[in-house]
mmCIF file of all heavy atoms in Angstrom:
data_model
loop_
_atom_site.group_PDB
_atom_site.id
_atom_site.type_symbol
_atom_site.label_atom_id
_atom_site.label_comp_id
_atom_site.label_asym_id
_atom_site.label_seq_id
_atom_site.Cartn_x
_atom_site.Cartn_y
_atom_site.Cartn_z
ATOM 1 N N TYR A 1022 84.150 116.721 112.662
ATOM 2 C CA TYR A 1022 85.208 116.936 113.645
ATOM 3 C C TYR A 1022 84.973 115.857 114.704
ATOM 4 O O TYR A 1022 84.105 116.003 115.574
ATOM 5 C CB TYR A 1022 85.071 118.350 114.221
ATOM 6 C CG TYR A 1022 86.263 118.821 115.009
ATOM 7 C CD1 TYR A 1022 87.467 119.124 114.370
ATOM 8 C CD2 TYR A 1022 86.191 118.966 116.398
ATOM 9 C CE1 TYR A 1022 88.563 119.565 115.095
ATOM 10 C CE2 TYR A 1022 87.290 119.408 117.119
ATOM 11 C CZ TYR A 1022 88.467 119.712 116.468
ATOM 12 O OH TYR A 1022 89.557 120.148 117.180
ATOM 13 N N TRP A 1056 84.454 114.756 104.818
ATOM 14 C CA TRP A 1056 85.848 115.076 105.172
ATOM 15 C C TRP A 1056 85.939 114.854 106.673
ATOM 16 O O TRP A 1056 85.234 115.506 107.433
ATOM 17 C CB TRP A 1056 86.209 116.511 104.790
ATOM 18 C CG TRP A 1056 87.272 117.147 105.667
ATOM 19 C CD1 TRP A 1056 88.238 116.531 106.413
ATOM 20 C CD2 TRP A 1056 87.446 118.554 105.910
ATOM 21 N NE1 TRP A 1056 89.006 117.458 107.088
ATOM 22 C CE2 TRP A 1056 88.547 118.697 106.802
ATOM 23 C CE3 TRP A 1056 86.794 119.708 105.448
ATOM 24 C CZ2 TRP A 1056 88.990 119.962 107.242
ATOM 25 C CZ3 TRP A 1056 87.248 120.957 105.891
ATOM 26 C CH2 TRP A 1056 88.336 121.070 106.769
ATOM 27 N N ASP A 1067 96.880 119.440 119.734
ATOM 28 C CA ASP A 1067 96.049 120.273 118.858
ATOM 29 C C ASP A 1067 94.916 119.402 118.285
ATOM 30 O O ASP A 1067 94.629 119.426 117.094
ATOM 31 C CB ASP A 1067 96.944 120.862 117.747
ATOM 32 C CG ASP A 1067 96.208 121.861 116.849
ATOM 33 O OD1 ASP A 1067 95.165 122.381 117.269
ATOM 34 O OD2 ASP A 1067 96.696 122.104 115.728
ATOM 35 N N TYR A 1070 95.638 117.214 115.192
ATOM 36 C CA TYR A 1070 96.475 117.827 114.145
ATOM 37 C C TYR A 1070 97.957 117.699 114.518
ATOM 38 O O TYR A 1070 98.815 118.385 113.960
ATOM 39 C CB TYR A 1070 96.054 119.275 113.880
ATOM 40 C CG TYR A 1070 94.801 119.324 113.020
ATOM 41 C CD1 TYR A 1070 93.538 119.363 113.595
ATOM 42 C CD2 TYR A 1070 94.887 119.263 111.631
ATOM 43 C CE1 TYR A 1070 92.387 119.353 112.808
ATOM 44 C CE2 TYR A 1070 93.741 119.255 110.838
ATOM 45 C CZ TYR A 1070 92.505 119.297 111.423
ATOM 46 O OH TYR A 1070 91.373 119.275 110.642
ATOM 47 N N ASP A 1071 98.224 116.840 115.475
ATOM 48 C CA ASP A 1071 99.591 116.503 115.873
ATOM 49 C C ASP A 1071 99.632 114.973 115.899
ATOM 50 O O ASP A 1071 99.167 114.342 116.837
ATOM 51 C CB ASP A 1071 99.925 117.098 117.248
ATOM 52 C CG ASP A 1071 98.835 116.849 118.305
ATOM 53 O OD1 ASP A 1071 97.631 116.953 117.992
ATOM 54 O OD2 ASP A 1071 99.201 116.528 119.455
ATOM 55 N N ASP A 1105 92.015 113.770 106.548
ATOM 56 C CA ASP A 1105 92.884 114.918 106.744
ATOM 57 C C ASP A 1105 94.332 114.451 106.626
ATOM 58 O O ASP A 1105 94.715 113.454 107.237
ATOM 59 C CB ASP A 1105 92.636 115.498 108.140
ATOM 60 C CG ASP A 1105 92.555 117.009 108.130
ATOM 61 O OD1 ASP A 1105 93.542 117.637 107.707
ATOM 62 O OD2 ASP A 1105 91.518 117.558 108.542
ATOM 63 N N VAL A 1107 97.883 115.586 107.478
ATOM 64 C CA VAL A 1107 98.588 116.611 108.251
ATOM 65 C C VAL A 1107 100.077 116.302 108.198
ATOM 66 O O VAL A 1107 100.607 115.547 109.026
ATOM 67 C CB VAL A 1107 98.094 116.632 109.714
ATOM 68 C CG1 VAL A 1107 98.662 117.837 110.455
ATOM 69 C CG2 VAL A 1107 96.574 116.640 109.771
ATOM 70 N N HIS A 1110 103.820 118.956 109.590
ATOM 71 C CA HIS A 1110 104.466 118.657 110.864
ATOM 72 C C HIS A 1110 103.951 117.322 111.382
ATOM 73 O O HIS A 1110 102.934 116.825 110.913
ATOM 74 C CB HIS A 1110 104.162 119.757 111.884
ATOM 75 C CG HIS A 1110 102.701 120.163 111.878
ATOM 76 N ND1 HIS A 1110 102.213 121.210 111.125
ATOM 77 C CD2 HIS A 1110 101.611 119.630 112.491
ATOM 78 C CE1 HIS A 1110 100.899 121.317 111.284
ATOM 79 N NE2 HIS A 1110 100.507 120.363 112.113
ATOM 80 N N PHE A 1154 100.755 129.805 116.438
ATOM 81 C CA PHE A 1154 100.062 129.676 117.720
ATOM 82 C C PHE A 1154 100.702 130.551 118.798
ATOM 83 O O PHE A 1154 100.688 130.206 119.966
ATOM 84 C CB PHE A 1154 100.079 128.210 118.194
ATOM 85 C CG PHE A 1154 99.173 127.281 117.395
ATOM 86 C CD1 PHE A 1154 99.185 125.920 117.665
ATOM 87 C CD2 PHE A 1154 98.316 127.755 116.418
ATOM 88 C CE1 PHE A 1154 98.352 125.050 116.962
ATOM 89 C CE2 PHE A 1154 97.486 126.891 115.703
ATOM 90 C CZ PHE A 1154 97.503 125.530 115.980
ATOM 91 N N PHE A 1173 103.655 125.613 114.304
ATOM 92 C CA PHE A 1173 102.465 125.568 115.164
ATOM 93 C C PHE A 1173 102.964 125.349 116.593
ATOM 94 O O PHE A 1173 103.935 125.988 116.976
ATOM 95 C CB PHE A 1173 101.463 124.537 114.620
ATOM 96 C CG PHE A 1173 100.935 125.015 113.278
ATOM 97 C CD1 PHE A 1173 101.604 124.719 112.092
ATOM 98 C CD2 PHE A 1173 99.821 125.840 113.221
ATOM 99 C CE1 PHE A 1173 101.162 125.230 110.869
ATOM 100 C CE2 PHE A 1173 99.369 126.351 112.003
ATOM 101 C CZ PHE A 1173 100.049 126.041 110.829
ATOM 102 N N GLN A 1177 104.476 120.247 117.733
ATOM 103 C CA GLN A 1177 104.223 119.978 116.306
ATOM 104 C C GLN A 1177 105.442 120.360 115.461
ATOM 105 O O GLN A 1177 105.389 121.322 114.684
ATOM 106 C CB GLN A 1177 102.985 120.756 115.832
ATOM 107 C CG GLN A 1177 101.670 120.285 116.477
ATOM 108 C CD GLN A 1177 100.518 121.256 116.234
ATOM 109 O OE1 GLN A 1177 100.576 122.412 116.636
ATOM 110 N NE2 GLN A 1177 99.463 120.794 115.585
ATOM 111 N N ARG A 1207 92.175 116.081 102.473
ATOM 112 C CA ARG A 1207 92.182 117.521 102.720
ATOM 113 C C ARG A 1207 93.570 117.775 103.305
ATOM 114 O O ARG A 1207 93.946 117.193 104.324
ATOM 115 C CB ARG A 1207 91.067 117.856 103.714
ATOM 116 C CG ARG A 1207 91.034 119.316 104.180
ATOM 117 C CD ARG A 1207 91.847 119.512 105.445
ATOM 118 N NE ARG A 1207 91.689 120.837 106.010
ATOM 119 C CZ ARG A 1207 92.399 121.279 107.032
ATOM 120 N NH1 ARG A 1207 93.309 120.520 107.620
ATOM 121 N NH2 ARG A 1207 92.212 122.495 107.495
ATOM 122 N N ASP A 1209 96.274 119.601 105.116
ATOM 123 C CA ASP A 1209 96.423 120.601 106.166
ATOM 124 C C ASP A 1209 97.609 121.533 105.903
ATOM 125 O O ASP A 1209 98.700 121.065 105.548
ATOM 126 C CB ASP A 1209 96.647 119.847 107.487
ATOM 127 C CG ASP A 1209 96.623 120.745 108.698
ATOM 128 O OD1 ASP A 1209 95.541 121.262 109.019
ATOM 129 O OD2 ASP A 1209 97.688 120.922 109.330
ATOM 130 N N VAL A 1210 97.412 122.816 106.143
ATOM 131 C CA VAL A 1210 98.457 123.856 105.973
ATOM 132 C C VAL A 1210 99.512 123.488 104.917
ATOM 133 O O VAL A 1210 100.713 123.673 105.121
ATOM 134 C CB VAL A 1210 99.127 124.261 107.312
ATOM 135 C CG1 VAL A 1210 98.151 125.014 108.191
ATOM 136 C CG2 VAL A 1210 99.698 123.091 108.089
ATOM 137 N N GLU A 1263 94.381 123.133 102.217
ATOM 138 C CA GLU A 1263 94.132 124.298 103.057
ATOM 139 C C GLU A 1263 95.231 125.286 102.702
ATOM 140 O O GLU A 1263 96.408 124.989 102.894
ATOM 141 C CB GLU A 1263 94.189 123.926 104.537
ATOM 142 C CG GLU A 1263 93.736 125.069 105.410
ATOM 143 C CD GLU A 1263 94.286 124.997 106.834
ATOM 144 O OE1 GLU A 1263 95.246 124.240 107.076
ATOM 145 O OE2 GLU A 1263 93.775 125.711 107.692
ATOM 146 N N GLN A 1265 96.562 128.859 102.988
ATOM 147 C CA GLN A 1265 96.973 130.207 103.332
ATOM 148 C C GLN A 1265 97.898 130.688 102.228
ATOM 149 O O GLN A 1265 98.730 129.920 101.743
ATOM 150 C CB GLN A 1265 97.753 130.229 104.656
ATOM 151 C CG GLN A 1265 96.897 130.051 105.893
ATOM 152 C CD GLN A 1265 96.834 128.603 106.339
ATOM 153 O OE1 GLN A 1265 97.053 127.684 105.549
ATOM 154 N NE2 GLN A 1265 96.521 128.395 107.590
ATOM 155 N N PHE A 1289 91.624 131.471 101.959
ATOM 156 C CA PHE A 1289 91.315 132.181 103.199
ATOM 157 C C PHE A 1289 90.799 133.584 102.919
ATOM 158 O O PHE A 1289 90.476 134.323 103.821
ATOM 159 C CB PHE A 1289 92.577 132.284 104.064
ATOM 160 C CG PHE A 1289 92.824 131.068 104.877
ATOM 161 C CD1 PHE A 1289 93.078 129.855 104.266
ATOM 162 C CD2 PHE A 1289 92.790 131.129 106.257
ATOM 163 C CE1 PHE A 1289 93.293 128.717 105.019
ATOM 164 C CE2 PHE A 1289 93.001 129.993 107.015
ATOM 165 C CZ PHE A 1289 93.253 128.773 106.402
ATOM 166 N N PHE A 1298 91.881 133.168 112.558
ATOM 167 C CA PHE A 1298 92.278 132.748 113.900
ATOM 168 C C PHE A 1298 93.720 133.129 114.191
ATOM 169 O O PHE A 1298 94.197 133.019 115.294
ATOM 170 C CB PHE A 1298 92.019 131.255 114.119
ATOM 171 C CG PHE A 1298 93.003 130.315 113.499
ATOM 172 C CD1 PHE A 1298 94.201 129.994 114.151
ATOM 173 C CD2 PHE A 1298 92.742 129.728 112.282
ATOM 174 C CE1 PHE A 1298 95.087 129.106 113.598
ATOM 175 C CE2 PHE A 1298 93.638 128.830 111.719
ATOM 176 C CZ PHE A 1298 94.814 128.530 112.369
ATOM 177 N N ASN A 1333 84.194 125.997 109.320
ATOM 178 C CA ASN A 1333 84.961 124.791 109.604
ATOM 179 C C ASN A 1333 85.373 124.834 111.070
ATOM 180 O O ASN A 1333 84.884 125.692 111.824
ATOM 181 C CB ASN A 1333 86.156 124.622 108.641
ATOM 182 C CG ASN A 1333 87.183 125.724 108.769
ATOM 183 O OD1 ASN A 1333 87.383 126.286 109.857
ATOM 184 N ND2 ASN A 1333 87.848 126.050 107.670
ATOM 185 N N HIS A 1334 86.260 123.934 111.468
ATOM 186 C CA HIS A 1334 86.613 123.834 112.887
ATOM 187 C C HIS A 1334 87.573 124.924 113.339
ATOM 188 O O HIS A 1334 87.961 124.945 114.503
ATOM 189 C CB HIS A 1334 87.226 122.461 113.131
ATOM 190 C CG HIS A 1334 88.513 122.295 112.374
ATOM 191 N ND1 HIS A 1334 88.548 122.234 110.992
ATOM 192 C CD2 HIS A 1334 89.800 122.229 112.796
ATOM 193 C CE1 HIS A 1334 89.816 122.124 110.603
ATOM 194 N NE2 HIS A 1334 90.586 122.116 111.685
ATOM 195 N N ASP A 1335 88.011 125.802 112.436
ATOM 196 C CA ASP A 1335 88.973 126.844 112.799
ATOM 197 C C ASP A 1335 88.357 128.227 112.946
ATOM 198 O O ASP A 1335 89.059 129.191 113.246
ATOM 199 C CB ASP A 1335 90.083 126.927 111.745
ATOM 200 C CG ASP A 1335 91.022 125.740 111.814
ATOM 201 O OD1 ASP A 1335 91.186 125.176 112.915
ATOM 202 O OD2 ASP A 1335 91.595 125.370 110.771
ATOM 203 N N ASP A 1390 90.791 124.825 123.182
ATOM 204 C CA ASP A 1390 91.715 125.003 122.065
ATOM 205 C C ASP A 1390 93.039 125.581 122.549
ATOM 206 O O ASP A 1390 93.063 126.589 123.264
ATOM 207 C CB ASP A 1390 91.071 125.923 121.027
ATOM 208 C CG ASP A 1390 92.016 126.238 119.879
ATOM 209 O OD1 ASP A 1390 92.986 125.468 119.689
ATOM 210 O OD2 ASP A 1390 91.791 127.251 119.192
ATOM 211 N N VAL A 1392 95.068 127.333 121.077
ATOM 212 C CA VAL A 1392 95.283 128.733 120.666
ATOM 213 C C VAL A 1392 94.590 129.691 121.631
ATOM 214 O O VAL A 1392 95.203 130.654 122.108
ATOM 215 C CB VAL A 1392 94.782 128.966 119.225
ATOM 216 C CG1 VAL A 1392 95.014 130.412 118.817
ATOM 217 C CG2 VAL A 1392 95.465 128.025 118.249
ATOM 218 N N ARG A 1420 88.240 129.433 118.280
ATOM 219 C CA ARG A 1420 87.915 128.224 117.517
ATOM 220 C C ARG A 1420 87.005 127.294 118.318
ATOM 221 O O ARG A 1420 86.315 126.445 117.762
ATOM 222 C CB ARG A 1420 89.214 127.490 117.126
ATOM 223 C CG ARG A 1420 90.189 128.346 116.332
ATOM 224 C CD ARG A 1420 91.222 127.510 115.622
ATOM 225 N NE ARG A 1420 92.166 126.848 116.513
ATOM 226 C CZ ARG A 1420 93.161 126.065 116.084
ATOM 227 N NH1 ARG A 1420 93.316 125.835 114.794
ATOM 228 N NH2 ARG A 1420 93.992 125.497 116.929
ATOM 229 N N ARG A 1424 83.738 124.021 117.886
ATOM 230 C CA ARG A 1424 84.149 122.676 118.284
ATOM 231 C C ARG A 1424 83.263 122.101 119.383
ATOM 232 O O ARG A 1424 83.513 121.004 119.890
ATOM 233 C CB ARG A 1424 85.610 122.704 118.736
ATOM 234 C CG ARG A 1424 86.511 123.147 117.603
ATOM 235 C CD ARG A 1424 87.953 123.261 118.010
ATOM 236 N NE ARG A 1424 88.761 123.597 116.847
ATOM 237 C CZ ARG A 1424 90.087 123.619 116.840
ATOM 238 N NH1 ARG A 1424 90.742 123.306 117.942
ATOM 239 N NH2 ARG A 1424 90.753 123.937 115.749
HETATM 240 C C1 LIG Z 2038 95.131 123.737 110.177
HETATM 241 C C2 LIG Z 2038 94.004 123.072 110.916
HETATM 242 C C3 LIG Z 2038 94.030 123.575 112.323
HETATM 243 C C4 LIG Z 2038 95.351 123.192 112.949
HETATM 244 C C5 LIG Z 2038 96.525 123.675 112.110
HETATM 245 C C6 LIG Z 2038 97.806 122.990 112.506
HETATM 246 O O1 LIG Z 2038 94.984 125.098 110.114
HETATM 247 O O2 LIG Z 2038 92.795 123.286 110.278
HETATM 248 O O3 LIG Z 2038 92.960 123.088 113.077
HETATM 249 O O4 LIG Z 2038 95.434 123.742 114.226
HETATM 250 O O5 LIG Z 2038 96.344 123.387 110.752
HETATM 251 O O6 LIG Z 2038 97.804 121.666 112.107
#
Side-chain angles (χ1 to χ4, degrees):
Y1022 193 70
W1056 151 24
D1067 186 20
Y1070 282 91
D1071 47 319
D1105 224 301
V1107 189
H1110 45 267
F1154 288 175
F1173 294 87
Q1177 293 167 299
R1207 174 268 188 187
D1209 188 69
V1210 291
E1263 188 204 16
Q1265 285 94 337
F1289 277 63
F1298 77 84
N1333 64 31
H1334 64 293
D1335 288 331
D1390 176 20
V1392 180
R1420 303 197 292 180
R1424 299 177 176 188

